[in-house]
């Protein structure tokens, strides 16, 4: 591991405390620097994807099937998290790219993906925080419908997860403003277009 790669690993937690500094580095177009950040980006994508999968309603019913034990759930979560993360990285990254272009920003598709990745660090961080809390509080009921996690305490855990998502949205706004040099209004407009593209994609199958 060379110094540039070590520096990107050091920047990974700093995006939570000094996001403008990290996103300014993300804007660096040097190919060696871009290659140096690939492994941190991969880690974020995998962790955020896994955290995202665990937030879906489907994962709250996996163990309703008695043939699925904790090992099967762990394997399914790992595999689905990787696929979910990769899909979000390219698809949501593409929507972010189109949103930025719609607001008059320049930059490559890869740049939009990297902005999304580093903005997603809070969601990735939620994985080693929220999941252990859920498992300690509710055990296997986390993956069963109608379990103990559906009470008030379960609602608090869900709220905790959503707080990490909101943190990611805030970082994404800062990242768009820093990387593309847009004002706050156009940065917010970029996220608005991103949301519009994603909503249109979700609604498209129903309209056909």
């Amino acid at each position: 591991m060379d110094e540039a790669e070590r520096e990107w690993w050091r920047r990974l937690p700093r995006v939570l405390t000094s996001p403008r500094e990290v996103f300014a580095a993300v804007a660096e177009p040097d190919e060696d620097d871009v290659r140096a950040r690939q492994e941190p980006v991969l880690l974020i994508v995998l962790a955020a994807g896994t955290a995202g999968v665990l937030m879906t309603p489907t994962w709250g019913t996996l163990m309703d099937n008695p043939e699925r034990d904790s090992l099967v759930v762990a394997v399914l979560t790992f595999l689905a998290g990787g696929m979910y993360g990769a899909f979000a990285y390219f698809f949501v990254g593409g929507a972010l790219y189109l949103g930025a272009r719609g607001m008059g920003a320049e930059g490559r598709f890869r740049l939009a993906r990297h902005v999304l990745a580093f903005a997603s660090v809070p969601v990735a961080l939620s994985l080693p925080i929220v999941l252990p809390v859920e498992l300690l509080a509710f055990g296997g009921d986390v993956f069963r419908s109608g379990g103990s996690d559906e009470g008030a305490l379960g609602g608090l855990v869900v709220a905790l997860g959503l707080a990490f998502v909101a943190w990611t949205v805030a970082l994404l706004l800062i990242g768009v403003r820093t990387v593309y040099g847009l004002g706050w209004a156009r940065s917010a407009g970029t996220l608005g277009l991103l949301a519009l593209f994603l909503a249109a994609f979700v609604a498209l199958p129903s309209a056909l």
Side-chain angles (χ1 to χ4, degrees), residues 101-202:
R101 292 294 294 245
M103 286 291 127
E106 299 292 335
R108 299 173 63 179
F109 176 35
R110 180 180 63 192
L111 179 60
R113 298 198 311 268
H114 286 187
V115 171
L116 175 66
F118 282 95
S120 299
V121 167
V123 173
L125 180 64
S126 73
L127 180 62
I129 294 177
V130 176
L131 182 59
V133 169
E134 287 185 306
L135 292 176
L136 284 173
F138 311 119
D141 283 354
V142 172
F143 304 106
R144 295 187 184 94
S145 58
S148 58
D149 60 329
E150 293 192 357
L153 184 57
L156 289 176
V157 174
V158 171
L160 177 61
L162 292 177
F164 283 100
V165 174
W167 192 357
T168 281
V169 173
L171 284 184
L172 190 57
L173 181 63
I174 294 171
V176 168
R177 187 174 190 271
T178 303
V179 168
Y180 293 111
L182 301 175
W184 286 115
R186 286 203 294 163
S187 297
T190 297
L191 298 195
L193 287 175
L194 165 63
L196 183 63
F197 293 142
L198 295 178
F201 178 80
V202 171

Side-chain angles (χ1 to χ4, degrees), residues 21-86:
E21 171 196 331
V22 175
F23 284 117
V26 169
E28 171 58 54
D30 180 75
E31 289 297 325
D32 290 336
D33 190 71
V34 170
R35 282 192 292 271
R37 73 183 75 143
Q38 293 300 320
E39 289 186 2
V41 166
L42 178 60
L43 175 64
I44 298 167
V45 168
L46 291 175
T50 303
V53 161
L54 289 169
M55 292 179 188
T56 62
T58 299
W59 247 248
T61 63
L62 274 186
M63 294 185 74
D64 286 358
N65 184 338
E67 294 182 1
R68 293 177 183 149
D69 58 17
S70 56
L71 179 59
V72 171
V73 169
V75 171
L76 288 174
T77 301
F78 176 77
L79 294 176
M83 291 187 289
Y84 190 82

